[in-house]
Each structure stands twice: as C-alpha cells, then as structure tokens.
Amino acid sequence: MPQEQGTRARQREKTRQALLHEGRKLFAEVGYGAVSLAEIVTAAGVTKGALYHHFDSKTALFRAVLRNVQEEVGARVADAAGTRDDPWDQLVTGCQEFITATTAPDIQRIMLVDGPAVLGWTEWRAMDEASSARHLTEALAGLVADGVIAAQPVAPLAHLLSGAMNEAALWLAASTDPADLTDTRAALGRLLDTLRVG
C-alpha cells in the first residue's frame, strides 16, 4: 500500500508540473487573456478534472506560474550576487541581474505585464514583497548597519529602489532598442552609487 501511495503521489506531482510547464509556456506566448483551460489541459495531456484537482481556476494556475517565475528570478539574482564577496558588490550585482533577468520575454509577460493585471496590484505587490523585495530590504539593512549606506529607514529606500527597478523592467518590456538595456544598467549603477557613503 505505501508503494502504491508513493506512485500516486509521484503521478500527481508529475501532472502538476506538466500543468505548470504548459501553463507557463502558453501564458508567455499569447498572454493570460488569450489562453483557455482547454488549451492548457490539451498541451499538458491531462483532463480538466486533473487540472481542478491541483488548481481551482485558471487564475490559481497563473498565480502558481507567477510564483515559480518570481522564484526563478530571485534565484538568478541570488546566484549573481553570490559571485561577489563584498556586500556592496553583491547589492549592485543582484540589482543588475534583476534588470537583465526581467528582459526575457516570458518573464516580462508573466511577471510584469500580466501579473499585476490578472491578480491586481495589491496581490502582485504582496507576492513581489515576499520574493525579491524581501532580499533587497535585507541587503540594504546590512549595508546601512555597516555604514556603507548612510543611516536611514530602510523600508522606504527598499520600496523606492524596488519601484524604480520594476518600472525600468516594464519600460524595457516595451522597448525595441537593444541599447536600452545597457543604458538602463548604467543608469541603475549611477543611481546606486549615490547611496554609498563617501
């Protein structure tokens, strides 16, 4: 019996992952509004009943896809920052990686375009806070404590920087000029430099 339960659990997880994979692919290609549940289940090779076993609606599936995308971006930022030893360099490298990561068309569409539109600004912001914004706040708090950034309340600074980077990423999503990414990274570097003491 335990072996049978283990097999069922693996099959359920396989089905869930297939729905997430195909949902992400379709949401990225044509956008949330243009995707039907029928298309998702057909692409995943499962039934609507199987979808509803895991997600009670298309919005619930999208929310899970968005969470995965945010975690992926967060991991990229953390990996990039982790290549540096100095906390200031970690902050700058992580922020630059966020801007670069969000230029990927699938990430732009799911995280920056459809995310706020589908879930609403409040829920989208809460999800953003739980992922990347939390890490940014922690990094800034450490730099303030170490005197690298002038003593100040960290929460408003984190929100200002997060908002600036999200806005830049949204602008880049609509840009057709490849030079805009380079210019945005340079502008972000100059902006961050103004925070550093001395």
Side-chain angles (χ1 to χ4, degrees), residues 116-137:
V118 172
L119 301 179
W121 181 253
T122 302
E123 182 176 356
W124 182 83
R125 280 296 301 141
M127 289 178 73
D128 185 57
E129 286 271 334
S131 57
S132 61
R134 179 174 49 86
H135 298 299
L136 178 61
T137 301

PDB file of all heavy atoms in Angstrom, residues 116-137:
ATOM      1  N   PRO A 116       0.372  41.921 -12.557  1.00  0.00           N
ATOM      2  CA  PRO A 116      -0.456  42.944 -11.900  1.00  0.00           C
ATOM      3  C   PRO A 116      -1.872  43.019 -12.474  1.00  0.00           C
ATOM      4  O   PRO A 116      -2.822  43.271 -11.745  1.00  0.00           O
ATOM      5  CB  PRO A 116       0.298  44.256 -12.166  1.00  0.00           C
ATOM      6  CG  PRO A 116       1.681  43.850 -12.547  1.00  0.00           C
ATOM      7  CD  PRO A 116       1.576  42.490 -13.159  1.00  0.00           C
ATOM      8  N   ALA A 117      -2.000  42.769 -13.778  1.00  0.00           N
ATOM      9  CA  ALA A 117      -3.317  42.869 -14.415  1.00  0.00           C
ATOM     10  C   ALA A 117      -4.246  41.738 -13.989  1.00  0.00           C
ATOM     11  O   ALA A 117      -5.433  41.955 -13.736  1.00  0.00           O
ATOM     12  CB  ALA A 117      -3.158  42.868 -15.942  1.00  0.00           C
ATOM     13  N   VAL A 118      -3.711  40.538 -13.888  1.00  0.00           N
ATOM     14  CA  VAL A 118      -4.536  39.363 -13.568  1.00  0.00           C
ATOM     15  C   VAL A 118      -4.854  39.298 -12.074  1.00  0.00           C
ATOM     16  O   VAL A 118      -5.998  39.059 -11.680  1.00  0.00           O
ATOM     17  CB  VAL A 118      -3.835  38.061 -14.026  1.00  0.00           C
ATOM     18  CG1 VAL A 118      -4.586  36.823 -13.530  1.00  0.00           C
ATOM     19  CG2 VAL A 118      -3.701  38.037 -15.547  1.00  0.00           C
ATOM     20  N   LEU A 119      -3.843  39.509 -11.241  1.00  0.00           N
ATOM     21  CA  LEU A 119      -4.024  39.333  -9.798  1.00  0.00           C
ATOM     22  C   LEU A 119      -4.399  40.616  -9.074  1.00  0.00           C
ATOM     23  O   LEU A 119      -4.836  40.573  -7.929  1.00  0.00           O
ATOM     24  CB  LEU A 119      -2.743  38.761  -9.183  1.00  0.00           C
ATOM     25  CG  LEU A 119      -2.294  37.403  -9.741  1.00  0.00           C
ATOM     26  CD1 LEU A 119      -1.013  36.958  -9.065  1.00  0.00           C
ATOM     27  CD2 LEU A 119      -3.380  36.354  -9.603  1.00  0.00           C
ATOM     28  N   GLY A 120      -4.230  41.739  -9.743  1.00  0.00           N
ATOM     29  CA  GLY A 120      -4.468  43.022  -9.083  1.00  0.00           C
ATOM     30  C   GLY A 120      -3.191  43.508  -8.442  1.00  0.00           C
ATOM     31  O   GLY A 120      -2.327  42.717  -8.050  1.00  0.00           O
ATOM     32  N   TRP A 121      -3.074  44.810  -8.356  1.00  0.00           N
ATOM     33  CA  TRP A 121      -1.851  45.418  -7.865  1.00  0.00           C
ATOM     34  C   TRP A 121      -1.503  44.969  -6.444  1.00  0.00           C
ATOM     35  O   TRP A 121      -0.356  44.669  -6.139  1.00  0.00           O
ATOM     36  CB  TRP A 121      -1.979  46.938  -7.927  1.00  0.00           C
ATOM     37  CG  TRP A 121      -0.756  47.658  -7.475  1.00  0.00           C
ATOM     38  CD1 TRP A 121      -0.594  48.348  -6.314  1.00  0.00           C
ATOM     39  CD2 TRP A 121       0.498  47.741  -8.151  1.00  0.00           C
ATOM     40  NE1 TRP A 121       0.680  48.860  -6.227  1.00  0.00           N
ATOM     41  CE2 TRP A 121       1.370  48.498  -7.354  1.00  0.00           C
ATOM     42  CE3 TRP A 121       0.971  47.234  -9.361  1.00  0.00           C
ATOM     43  CZ2 TRP A 121       2.680  48.778  -7.710  1.00  0.00           C
ATOM     44  CZ3 TRP A 121       2.286  47.516  -9.729  1.00  0.00           C
ATOM     45  CH2 TRP A 121       3.114  48.273  -8.906  1.00  0.00           C
ATOM     46  N   THR A 122      -2.485  44.879  -5.571  1.00  0.00           N
ATOM     47  CA  THR A 122      -2.222  44.559  -4.166  1.00  0.00           C
ATOM     48  C   THR A 122      -1.637  43.159  -4.010  1.00  0.00           C
ATOM     49  O   THR A 122      -0.628  42.974  -3.319  1.00  0.00           O
ATOM     50  CB  THR A 122      -3.512  44.700  -3.327  1.00  0.00           C
ATOM     51  OG1 THR A 122      -4.002  46.040  -3.478  1.00  0.00           O
ATOM     52  CG2 THR A 122      -3.260  44.419  -1.868  1.00  0.00           C
ATOM     53  N   GLU A 123      -2.256  42.179  -4.653  1.00  0.00           N
ATOM     54  CA  GLU A 123      -1.738  40.808  -4.534  1.00  0.00           C
ATOM     55  C   GLU A 123      -0.388  40.675  -5.222  1.00  0.00           C
ATOM     56  O   GLU A 123       0.526  40.026  -4.700  1.00  0.00           O
ATOM     57  CB  GLU A 123      -2.723  39.789  -5.118  1.00  0.00           C
ATOM     58  CG  GLU A 123      -2.227  38.366  -4.948  1.00  0.00           C
ATOM     59  CD  GLU A 123      -3.197  37.297  -5.412  1.00  0.00           C
ATOM     60  OE1 GLU A 123      -4.330  37.634  -5.826  1.00  0.00           O
ATOM     61  OE2 GLU A 123      -2.810  36.122  -5.361  1.00  0.00           O
ATOM     62  N   TRP A 124      -0.245  41.306  -6.385  1.00  0.00           N
ATOM     63  CA  TRP A 124       1.026  41.244  -7.091  1.00  0.00           C
ATOM     64  C   TRP A 124       2.142  41.840  -6.239  1.00  0.00           C
ATOM     65  O   TRP A 124       3.224  41.278  -6.131  1.00  0.00           O
ATOM     66  CB  TRP A 124       0.921  41.976  -8.431  1.00  0.00           C
ATOM     67  CG  TRP A 124       2.182  41.909  -9.226  1.00  0.00           C
ATOM     68  CD1 TRP A 124       2.590  40.898 -10.045  1.00  0.00           C
ATOM     69  CD2 TRP A 124       3.225  42.894  -9.260  1.00  0.00           C
ATOM     70  NE1 TRP A 124       3.822  41.191 -10.597  1.00  0.00           N
ATOM     71  CE2 TRP A 124       4.235  42.416 -10.121  1.00  0.00           C
ATOM     72  CE3 TRP A 124       3.404  44.129  -8.647  1.00  0.00           C
ATOM     73  CZ2 TRP A 124       5.394  43.128 -10.395  1.00  0.00           C
ATOM     74  CZ3 TRP A 124       4.563  44.848  -8.920  1.00  0.00           C
ATOM     75  CH2 TRP A 124       5.535  44.343  -9.783  1.00  0.00           C
ATOM     76  N   ARG A 125       1.878  42.976  -5.605  1.00  0.00           N
ATOM     77  CA  ARG A 125       2.886  43.623  -4.753  1.00  0.00           C
ATOM     78  C   ARG A 125       3.232  42.729  -3.559  1.00  0.00           C
ATOM     79  O   ARG A 125       4.389  42.620  -3.161  1.00  0.00           O
ATOM     80  CB  ARG A 125       2.373  44.981  -4.225  1.00  0.00           C
ATOM     81  CG  ARG A 125       2.478  46.105  -5.188  1.00  0.00           C
ATOM     82  CD  ARG A 125       3.890  46.464  -5.565  1.00  0.00           C
ATOM     83  NE  ARG A 125       4.700  46.842  -4.420  1.00  0.00           N
ATOM     84  CZ  ARG A 125       5.964  46.500  -4.260  1.00  0.00           C
ATOM     85  NH1 ARG A 125       6.566  45.781  -5.156  1.00  0.00           N
ATOM     86  NH2 ARG A 125       6.642  46.875  -3.198  1.00  0.00           N
ATOM     87  N   ALA A 126       2.216  42.088  -2.987  1.00  0.00           N
ATOM     88  CA  ALA A 126       2.470  41.190  -1.845  1.00  0.00           C
ATOM     89  C   ALA A 126       3.377  40.035  -2.264  1.00  0.00           C
ATOM     90  O   ALA A 126       4.289  39.652  -1.521  1.00  0.00           O
ATOM     91  CB  ALA A 126       1.151  40.671  -1.282  1.00  0.00           C
ATOM     92  N   MET A 127       3.143  39.488  -3.451  1.00  0.00           N
ATOM     93  CA  MET A 127       3.987  38.400  -3.941  1.00  0.00           C
ATOM     94  C   MET A 127       5.405  38.905  -4.217  1.00  0.00           C
ATOM     95  O   MET A 127       6.390  38.220  -3.925  1.00  0.00           O
ATOM     96  CB  MET A 127       3.381  37.774  -5.197  1.00  0.00           C
ATOM     97  CG  MET A 127       2.124  36.975  -4.921  1.00  0.00           C
ATOM     98  SD  MET A 127       1.388  36.287  -6.414  1.00  0.00           S
ATOM     99  CE  MET A 127       2.558  34.972  -6.808  1.00  0.00           C
ATOM    100  N   ASP A 128       5.518  40.105  -4.769  1.00  0.00           N
ATOM    101  CA  ASP A 128       6.825  40.702  -5.037  1.00  0.00           C
ATOM    102  C   ASP A 128       7.572  40.939  -3.726  1.00  0.00           C
ATOM    103  O   ASP A 128       8.767  40.671  -3.619  1.00  0.00           O
ATOM    104  CB  ASP A 128       6.651  42.011  -5.813  1.00  0.00           C
ATOM    105  CG  ASP A 128       7.982  42.628  -6.222  1.00  0.00           C
ATOM    106  OD1 ASP A 128       8.767  41.941  -6.913  1.00  0.00           O
ATOM    107  OD2 ASP A 128       8.233  43.786  -5.852  1.00  0.00           O
ATOM    108  N   GLU A 129       6.834  41.431  -2.722  1.00  0.00           N
ATOM    109  CA  GLU A 129       7.422  41.671  -1.393  1.00  0.00           C
ATOM    110  C   GLU A 129       7.970  40.372  -0.807  1.00  0.00           C
ATOM    111  O   GLU A 129       9.037  40.364  -0.196  1.00  0.00           O
ATOM    112  CB  GLU A 129       6.367  42.218  -0.428  1.00  0.00           C
ATOM    113  CG  GLU A 129       5.975  43.648  -0.664  1.00  0.00           C
ATOM    114  CD  GLU A 129       6.854  44.628   0.085  1.00  0.00           C
ATOM    115  OE1 GLU A 129       7.427  44.254   1.120  1.00  0.00           O
ATOM    116  OE2 GLU A 129       6.970  45.756  -0.394  1.00  0.00           O
ATOM    117  N   ALA A 130       7.222  39.296  -0.982  1.00  0.00           N
ATOM    118  CA  ALA A 130       7.619  38.013  -0.397  1.00  0.00           C
ATOM    119  C   ALA A 130       8.826  37.411  -1.099  1.00  0.00           C
ATOM    120  O   ALA A 130       9.508  36.557  -0.536  1.00  0.00           O
ATOM    121  CB  ALA A 130       6.452  37.031  -0.447  1.00  0.00           C
ATOM    122  N   SER A 131       9.095  37.853  -2.324  1.00  0.00           N
ATOM    123  CA  SER A 131      10.234  37.281  -3.048  1.00  0.00           C
ATOM    124  C   SER A 131      11.387  38.274  -3.084  1.00  0.00           C
ATOM    125  O   SER A 131      12.145  38.396  -2.135  1.00  0.00           O
ATOM    126  CB  SER A 131       9.823  36.829  -4.449  1.00  0.00           C
ATOM    127  OG  SER A 131       9.259  37.911  -5.183  1.00  0.00           O
ATOM    128  N   SER A 132      11.515  39.011  -4.165  1.00  0.00           N
ATOM    129  CA  SER A 132      12.702  39.843  -4.359  1.00  0.00           C
ATOM    130  C   SER A 132      12.797  41.030  -3.412  1.00  0.00           C
ATOM    131  O   SER A 132      13.891  41.390  -2.971  1.00  0.00           O
ATOM    132  CB  SER A 132      12.774  40.326  -5.809  1.00  0.00           C
ATOM    133  OG  SER A 132      11.637  41.100  -6.135  1.00  0.00           O
ATOM    134  N   ALA A 133      11.686  41.675  -3.087  1.00  0.00           N
ATOM    135  CA  ALA A 133      11.743  42.878  -2.253  1.00  0.00           C
ATOM    136  C   ALA A 133      12.289  42.565  -0.859  1.00  0.00           C
ATOM    137  O   ALA A 133      12.998  43.378  -0.267  1.00  0.00           O
ATOM    138  CB  ALA A 133      10.365  43.525  -2.162  1.00  0.00           C
ATOM    139  N   ARG A 134      11.988  41.387  -0.342  1.00  0.00           N
ATOM    140  CA  ARG A 134      12.484  40.992   0.982  1.00  0.00           C
ATOM    141  C   ARG A 134      14.005  40.906   0.983  1.00  0.00           C
ATOM    142  O   ARG A 134      14.676  41.388   1.887  1.00  0.00           O
ATOM    143  CB  ARG A 134      11.865  39.653   1.391  1.00  0.00           C
ATOM    144  CG  ARG A 134      12.326  39.146   2.741  1.00  0.00           C
ATOM    145  CD  ARG A 134      11.573  37.887   3.157  1.00  0.00           C
ATOM    146  NE  ARG A 134      11.534  36.867   2.129  1.00  0.00           N
ATOM    147  CZ  ARG A 134      12.497  35.959   1.939  1.00  0.00           C
ATOM    148  NH1 ARG A 134      13.577  35.961   2.698  1.00  0.00           N
ATOM    149  NH2 ARG A 134      12.389  35.054   0.993  1.00  0.00           N
ATOM    150  N   HIS A 135      14.570  40.314  -0.082  1.00  0.00           N
ATOM    151  CA  HIS A 135      16.024  40.180  -0.178  1.00  0.00           C
ATOM    152  C   HIS A 135      16.690  41.546  -0.331  1.00  0.00           C
ATOM    153  O   HIS A 135      17.755  41.789   0.243  1.00  0.00           O
ATOM    154  CB  HIS A 135      16.399  39.262  -1.345  1.00  0.00           C
ATOM    155  CG  HIS A 135      15.887  37.868  -1.189  1.00  0.00           C
ATOM    156  ND1 HIS A 135      16.259  37.055  -0.140  1.00  0.00           N
ATOM    157  CD2 HIS A 135      15.016  37.142  -1.928  1.00  0.00           C
ATOM    158  CE1 HIS A 135      15.647  35.889  -0.243  1.00  0.00           C
ATOM    159  NE2 HIS A 135      14.887  35.914  -1.317  1.00  0.00           N
ATOM    160  N   LEU A 136      16.046  42.415  -1.098  1.00  0.00           N
ATOM    161  CA  LEU A 136      16.587  43.766  -1.271  1.00  0.00           C
ATOM    162  C   LEU A 136      16.616  44.492   0.076  1.00  0.00           C
ATOM    163  O   LEU A 136      17.617  45.133   0.425  1.00  0.00           O
ATOM    164  CB  LEU A 136      15.748  44.543  -2.293  1.00  0.00           C
ATOM    165  CG  LEU A 136      16.150  45.993  -2.546  1.00  0.00           C
ATOM    166  CD1 LEU A 136      17.574  46.088  -3.077  1.00  0.00           C
ATOM    167  CD2 LEU A 136      15.165  46.647  -3.515  1.00  0.00           C
ATOM    168  N   THR A 137      15.542  44.383   0.823  1.00  0.00           N
ATOM    169  CA  THR A 137      15.470  45.026   2.138  1.00  0.00           C
ATOM    170  C   THR A 137      16.566  44.509   3.065  1.00  0.00           C
ATOM    171  O   THR A 137      17.232  45.285   3.760  1.00  0.00           O
ATOM    172  CB  THR A 137      14.084  44.795   2.779  1.00  0.00           C
ATOM    173  OG1 THR A 137      13.086  45.344   1.904  1.00  0.00           O
ATOM    174  CG2 THR A 137      13.977  45.445   4.142  1.00  0.00           C
TER     175      THR A 137
END
